[in-house]
Every structure is written in C-alpha cells, then in structure tokens.
Amino acid sequence: MNGIKKIKKDENGTLHVPDRPVIPFIEGDGIGPDIWKATRLVLDKAVQIAFRGEKEIEWLELDVGEKGYQKTGEYLSDQALQSIQDHVVAIKGPLTTPIGKGFRSLNVAIRRKLDLYACVRPVRYIESVPSPMKYPEKINMVVFRENTEDLYAGIEWQSGTREAEQVISFLKEKMNADLPDHAGIGIKPISEKNTKRLVASAISYAADHNLPSVTLMHKGNIMKFTEGAFSNWGYEVAQEEFGDRTITENELYEKHGGKVPAGKIIIKDRIADMLFQQVLLRPDEFSVIATPNLNGDYISDALAAQVGGLGMAPGANIGDRCACFEATHGTAPKYAGQDKVNPSSLILSGAMMLDYMGWEDASERLRKALQDTVKAGIVTYDLARQIKDATEVKCSEFAKAISERIK
Ligand code: NAP
C-alpha cells in the first residue's frame, strides 16, 4: 500500500490521487458537527467497501469558523486557506457569518481567496424523496454558478453615507444618470474573463458527461451590459474553445432541421424569469445551466426544492487550483447539537468529491445506499414530515442506516 500523500493537479488540470490521500475538512458551525460526523462515517465505509481497504482517506481537520476563533482568535486563517490549496481537494460543513468581524461571509471569503470560481450544484431526483413535482424523475440538472463577481462582489454603499452621496453625484453629474436621492448603491461587475472561464467549465462538464445542452441563464433584456454580456461571452467561448463540439440552438433549427448532429452539445440561452417557469414545466429540456452569481443562487435553491429541499442539495466550489465540496444550506442554529437534521446535503457533496477524485466505485455505492434508506422510509425530520408512515430517525441513526446498506 502507498504511504500517505497529497492529491496533485498537473499543468493540464489532471488530478493525481494517491491511494491514501490527505483531505482537509472543516467541520462547520451550528449543525456542522452533526452532519460532518454522519458524512465521515458513510464516506469511509463506501471507500472501504469499494476498494476493500486498498484505498483510504486520511482526514485532516482545519479549525475554521467558531472553532477556529476559539482556538486561535481567527475565523479563517491564511494557514487553513493554504492547506486547502496544497491538498487540492477539501470538504466543509456550513459556517456562521460572524457579524461585524470584518467578513461579509466566511464562505464567500473562502471562494474568493482561493478563486473557486465555479459553484457547481447538481440537482437530481432520488427515488422516494418527497417532491412537489408531478414527475420529479425528469429533473436532472447541474447548475454552474459564477462565484466571484456580480452583485456578490460586495461593492455597495449604504443610503445616506458620504460614499453613497459621492457615487450618486458622480453618476448624476458626470454620467447623466437619473437616480433617486439618497439611494443605497450596489455595483454589479460582470467580466469577460470570469464569464468565459465559468461557461468553459460548464461546457467541459457537459462534454465529459455526455450531456445534451448548456443553457446560459441571464436577464440580458434588462441588464444588457452585464447579464446580456454574460450571454454573448458564453456563446463566444463556446465557439472559440469548443467549436467542434457545440452548436447553437439557432443553428440546430436553421441548419439541421431540429435534429441534433451526433456528439454535439446545444448552446442555448434563456431569460432568467422565463427559465424559472420552464424548469418547472419542462425540466427535461435542461441539463447544464451556466449563470451569473445572483441568478445561480436563486435557481439552485428553487431546483433543490423540487427534489427534496435544502437538506438534500449537494454542492462544490471549484477553481483551477483546488476544489471545496460543501453542503449548500447554512448552520441552521436552532437545530445545533440536537443530532436532528438531514446530513444528505453534505453526504452527497462527499459523493461529488469522490467522483471528482475518480473514485466513482465508492460514490455510486453511497448514493445507492442513501436511496435505499429513504426508500425503506427511514428519514430525518424534514422528510418525515412529508412522507406518510415514515420512520423518523436522528441524524446519526440515518447515517448508520445508510452505512449498513453500503454494499
Ligand atoms: P439555514 O442554516 O440554511 O437554515 C434554514 C432552514 O433550512 C432551517 O431552519 C431548516 O428548515 C432548513 N435546513 C437547513 N439545513 C437543513 C438540513 N441539513 N436538514 C434539514 N433542514 C435543513 O439558513 P439560515 O438560518 O438563513 O442561516 C444560518 C447561518 O448559516 C447564517 O449565519 C448564514 O450566514 C449561514 N449560511 C452558511 C452557508 C454556508 O456555509 N455555505 C450557507 C447559507 C447560510 P426548517 O426549520 O423549516 O426545518
């Protein structure tokens, strides 16, 4: 057996994963410790069963969030960020946003400091999970949300402050803008570089997974130079970097009579508000969705609701140097320490991490065991309140039930 090593990424972006990789984890705040304990149990079991002990993850704890603050006086140290970068792959529970301590959000800080520019959120229906949809099995999408800019860049000024007044007078006097007095002001930067790398990663994903289309979601009819530009740059990068693999939706009908040529990925775009209704009415028309930050935040939670809610929604933040897999929900403080909540979001994020490492033998067993557990009616409170005659179990009992079903 190999000794313990770090995962490496070469200059072509290929991952080299040793048999005993060290993977840093952040337990998280609030419900974090409960869902992390559950996740670690089932990840270790899936790896052990899939590889019969020949592969094993060596976990390395990073003290971030409230735990970090108590131990070191820092919520997010440079050392922790460096460790994630050095080990290439990491996993984290949810973190509380400290009020008035210099961070807007620790999660946003991690994404921006490590340049994890793609927030990847797969939305797939797991059989037997309660859903408000008539045909939830038609939902199988992956959202690629831009993670570093848009209104989330944090460039904003409160109404009535000197800074806001300065910006307003500049816009009125120098740019001829019509603005209400004393408005709060936020800036929405969307750049060609960041759009193109996000859309390129979405198209690469579609190509690697044989998916039929990439939809550019935007509100370019109103915000022409930000959201409209996102769509234009998306089409451009599809042509520049994937010209032999992609066709636009227009070309599909104008040149190919609506019949998709073999091996081609369709690039299309949809106005954001319309896409919200189309993913409800005709979800099977969408597979990969690439979108700016704010739209991506909204659509991924809305899609999660269609397949069981936030407790079931996995996610990852992926950049060129490293990736951090995380539950998409927050710390749910009212349930902290109660061993109550659904750990599936973090467990499924762990399964995504195993996929990313090329350990699909383990991730597929894990997903199957989770589905079998829900099918057997063994669920945490959030699903129990939607399933008649379900057996409601604690977070740790749910993990144990999954673990016993990993074959
Ligand atoms: P939240 O923690 O996501 O919780 C909102 C509600 O979602 C919960 O009350 C619960 O609903 C449901 N929920 C969340 N996780 C669940 C799970 N694992 N199983 C079952 N139900 C679950 O949102 P919040 O209360 O707005 O945010 C709390 C803190 O988390 C804030 O400090 C925020 O900044 C932070 N946050 C962190 C992240 C992150 O780390 N990525 C993301 C979002 C928010 P019911 O009460 O209806 O059962």
Side-chain angles (χ1 to χ4, degrees):
M1 207 186 294
N2 288 341
I4 296 167
K5 283 191 205 146
K6 286 180 186 167
I7 294 174
K8 294 276 177 225
K9 203 171 196 183
D10 65 25
E11 57 280 6
N12 304 318
T14 308
L15 224 56
H16 299 273
V17 181
D19 285 344
R20 294 173 64 82
V22 177
I23 297 189
F25 71 93
I26 296 166
E27 189 177 62
D29 303 324
I31 56 170
D34 283 348
I35 60 172
W36 169 248
K37 210 167 152 208
T39 299
R40 182 172 173 164
L41 175 81
V42 297
L43 286 178
D44 284 344
K45 179 76 183 288
V47 170
Q48 190 220 328
I49 296 282
F51 304 113
R52 294 176 209 87
E54 281 174 19
K55 294 180 195 278
E56 188 184 6
I57 294 170
E58 190 73 26
W59 298 108
L60 170 70
E61 177 156 19
L62 302 179
D63 292 322
V64 173
E66 283 160 8
K67 210 171 186 180
Y69 190 70
Q70 276 160 18
K71 282 195 179 170
T72 66
E74 276 188 287
Y75 283 100
L76 176 62
S77 64
D78 289 344
Q79 213 181 353
L81 288 167
Q82 191 62 47
S83 182
I84 296 174
Q85 189 165 308
D86 288 348
H87 291 90
V88 182
V89 169
I91 185 164
K92 67 173 274 294
L95 292 167
T96 306
T97 297
I99 312 279
K101 295 280 195 322
F103 287 112
R104 276 171 181 273
S105 148
L106 290 178
N107 304 296
V108 174
I110 292 172
R111 291 169 197 165
R112 294 195 67 190
K113 289 192 174 183
L114 294 173
D115 200 20
L116 304 174
Y117 58 84
C119 176
V120 182
R121 292 188 174 173
V123 189
R124 193 166 63 164
Y125 178 63
I126 295 179
E127 219 185 306
S128 303
V129 171
S131 160
M133 300 290 284
K134 255 190 184 160
Y135 305 106
E137 63 283 357
K138 289 186 176 178
I139 301 162
N140 190 1
M141 295 176 223
V142 184
V143 178
F144 276 70
R145 163 188 170 196
E146 206 290 327
N147 237 350
T148 64
E149 55 181 19
D150 196 356
L151 288 163
Y152 283 56
I155 309 168
E156 56 177 7
W157 298 281
Q158 193 178 356
S159 157
T161 58
R162 193 170 58 88
E163 292 82 358
E165 294 306 317
Q166 276 176 345
V167 176
I168 289 172
S169 42
F170 170 78
L171 291 173
K172 278 183 165 173
E173 288 159 24
K174 303 274 194 234
M175 310 301 283
N176 224 7
D178 185 14
L179 278 174
D181 287 336
H182 312 306
I185 300 283
I187 302 276
K188 179 180 174 77
I190 292 206
S191 69
E192 179 175 353
K193 173 180 156 252
N194 290 337
T195 297
K196 284 190 168 175
R197 66 181 182 170
L198 183 271
V199 176
S201 65
I203 299 173
S204 288
Y205 183 92
D208 291 347
H209 295 82
N210 289 320
L211 297 172
S213 68
V214 174
T215 303
L216 305 165
M217 174 194 189
H218 63 92
K219 189 70 187 161
N221 54 333
I222 305 294
M223 293 169 271
K224 296 183 193 311
F225 305 126
T226 50
E227 301 251 337
F230 178 91
S231 174
N232 295 339
W233 288 322
Y235 281 113
E236 268 176 35
V237 76
Q239 176 59 36
E240 287 160 5
E241 289 186 31
F242 305 89
D244 55 337
R245 287 297 314 269
T246 60
I247 55 167
T248 65
E249 196 173 36
N250 284 346
E251 288 168 339
L252 174 67
Y253 291 102
E254 282 166 11
K255 296 187 187 160
H256 303 278
K259 194 168 179 306
V260 185
K264 296 280 188 185
I265 300 163
I266 301 162
I267 309 295
K268 51 189 174 183
D269 72 280
R270 293 289 182 273
I271 301 288
D273 39 341
M274 185 175 65
L275 187 61
F276 270 96
Q277 63 152 322
Q278 290 194 346
V279 294
L280 284 170
L281 299 174
R282 304 199 300 276
D284 46 349
E285 288 182 11
F286 302 97
S287 54
V288 175
I289 295 173
T291 187
N293 210 334
L294 181 61
N295 296 337
D297 203 0
Y298 293 155
I299 192 95
S300 43
D301 275 21
L303 287 171
Q306 296 181 32
V307 294
L310 282 180
M312 298 299 296
N317 298 296
I318 301 179
D320 291 333
R321 289 169 301 185
C322 55
C324 188
F325 295 78
E326 66 170 357
T328 59
H329 56 70
T331 57
K334 68 179 176 186
Y335 299 122
Q338 293 180 26
D339 191 18
K340 182 177 172 79
V341 297
N342 188 346
S344 298
S345 172
L346 194 57
I347 290 175
L348 292 169
S349 303
M352 277 177 83
M353 182 186 82
L354 296 175
D355 288 341
Y356 188 77
M357 291 159 58
W359 289 13
E360 288 92 348
D361 261 358
S363 56
E364 284 311 317
R365 284 167 208 268
L366 177 48
R367 289 191 185 96
K368 167 99 179 38
L370 195 154
Q371 175 167 306
D372 289 347
T373 307
V374 179
K375 252 179 156 172
I378 302 168
V379 289
T380 44
Y381 84 98
D382 53 323
L383 300 186
R385 64 189 170 190
Q386 304 174 64
I387 302 176
K388 198 167 169 281
D389 299 329
T391 308
E392 183 179 328
V393 293
K394 292 172 183 243
C395 175
S396 58
E397 291 166 343
F398 184 62
K400 189 163 170 279
I402 297 172
S403 166
E404 285 164 2
R405 285 168 175 76
I406 297 175
K407 299 276 159 9

